[in-house]
Amino acid sequence: MPCRVALCLSGAASKDPEDAAERLELEAALTNLGFLPQTCCWDDAAVEWGDFQVCLLCPTWDDARCNPSYRESLLHWVTRVAEAGVRILNPPSLLQWNSHKAYLTGLSLEGVNVIPTNVTSQKEDTDLELLLTSHTAFVTKNPQDNTIIVKPAVSSGAVGMERFFVGNADVASCRDAQRHHDELLLSGDVLVQPYVRGVEEWGVLSVVCFDRKFSHAILRKPAAQEYRVGARHGGSAALVEPADVGENIMAAVTAVLATKVMQSQPVAYCRLDFVAAPPHEQA
């Protein structure tokens, strides 16, 4: 009997024309391989998940609703479906780890070169002015040009992300950043990172792997006067030839896949994002 595969996505993704076109291609490919695919919204109570052998997590994030409460509901659903004997791709433990951006600090502890990340939980307070003047990651060669990113630890599509120019610990700018930080903290954990100007000059290279093997790469660039690379912010995306990815990027991909959390469980697919600091920002 053919294996039934649920292509699980959010309600918002189910209404996206671009997602729909890609999903039809995926359904056709799976059908040609002998599977029986069916598209389902993960929070549709009418779906009998026990009728499937595999649940493939497609775009399950809903950018407008992506917050800790949404994440908790999604993880609860994933756990319930897995306990019913359905194979989840990727596995629930990987989804739980990857759906909170504090995973960046864990990768850093294993030697992966990530953007320095300060995570604030609701159990603590962070004085951004003190952070900017004491934390080595935020003390640059040109203090007058300091720029930071403040964003939710659980988010998608750059929702809640803001950039602040806080050169020389400018009081007004620090106050604005602190206000945004504290407002986000009411809903969940918050990340503070130094802004990498390479996003504007170079873009974000997204490397996609299937079964731990390189598949393809996409270079996403922001629109003029913008720092967010998503399509909703006017960003563009272009396929990158494998030969143009670069040995340093492939070495970084290998380093991430070699970490304990990635080695401890099957990884059906993953996307790794890379940015490059311009020469004047490099150590």
Side-chain angles (χ1 to χ4, degrees):
M1 184 175 180
C3 177
R4 296 196 64 194
V5 179
L7 305 180
C8 307
L9 66 164
S10 68
S14 68
K15 300 179 179 66
D16 188 308
E18 185 175 344
D19 281 347
E22 294 177 351
R23 200 162 53 252
L24 287 175
E25 294 182 12
L26 178 58
E27 289 178 354
L30 288 171
T31 300
N32 289 338
L33 290 171
F35 296 96
L36 291 178
Q38 180 181 334
T39 297
C40 309
C41 291
W42 71 267
D43 54 356
D44 185 348
V47 177
E48 294 291 342
W49 298 107
D51 292 342
F52 298 95
Q53 285 75 52
V54 176
C55 278
L56 178 62
L57 302 181
C58 297
T60 50
W61 282 132
D62 184 337
D63 292 352
R65 297 166 54 206
C66 187
N67 54 44
S69 178
Y70 184 90
R71 173 178 179 262
E72 184 177 345
S73 297
L74 177 61
L75 293 176
H76 177 74
W77 167 79
V78 165
T79 301
R80 178 167 54 85
V81 173
E83 289 176 348
V86 182
R87 185 181 182 188
I88 307 288
L89 300 176
N90 280 317
S93 55
L94 189 60
L95 177 63
Q96 181 170 10
W97 172 76
N98 182 243
S99 57
H100 188 293
K101 292 180 173 60
Y103 72 82
L104 291 169
T105 60
L107 290 178
S108 178
L109 291 175
E110 291 204 50
V112 178
N113 186 18
V114 303
I115 297 174
T117 301
N118 184 85
V119 183
T120 306
S121 74
Q122 291 181 302
K123 299 178 182 179
E124 58 186 318
D125 295 321
T126 292
D127 184 328
L128 293 188
E129 185 174 354
L130 178 61
L131 176 68
L132 296 176
T133 55
S134 63
H135 197 301
T136 55
F138 297 95
V139 179
T140 67
K141 297 177 181 179
N142 301 304
Q144 73 279 3
D145 198 35
N146 270 8
T147 306
I148 62 171
I149 291 291
V150 181
K151 61 184 179 182
V154 177
S155 65
S156 176
V159 173
M161 176 194 291
E162 294 291 345
R163 178 177 62 175
F164 297 93
F165 301 92
V166 290
N168 289 325
D170 178 81
V171 175
S173 296
C174 282
R175 186 183 299 119
D176 291 341
Q178 187 76 57
R179 183 182 302 111
H180 182 63
H181 172 279
D182 294 347
E183 288 174 353
L184 292 177
L185 199 59
L186 295 175
S187 300
D189 298 346
V190 180
L191 266 62
V192 182
Q193 300 171 311
Y195 176 62
V196 179
R197 297 189 185 281
V199 172
E200 295 176 74
E201 300 181 22
W202 184 74
V204 175
L205 183 70
S206 297
V207 175
V208 179
C209 298
F210 293 110
D211 193 24
R212 304 179 186 275
K213 300 178 181 65
F214 173 85
S215 170
H216 59 281
I218 298 172
L219 182 61
R220 298 181 292 154
K221 291 188 173 182
Q225 309 302 316
E226 180 58 76
Y227 61 96
R228 293 162 292 196
V229 298
R232 68 166 60 201
H233 299 289
S236 62
L239 191 65
V240 177
E241 293 297 326
D244 296 329
V245 171
E247 293 182 1
N248 59 330
I249 295 294
M250 293 309 300
V253 170
T254 300
V256 173
L257 294 177
T259 57
K260 293 178 182 178
V261 69
M262 298 291 271
Q263 286 290 320
S264 64
Q265 55 201 317
V267 181
Y269 59 92
C270 65
R271 190 193 82 193
L272 307 175
D273 293 340
F274 297 91
V275 297
H280 65 272
E281 287 191 4
Q282 294 177 358

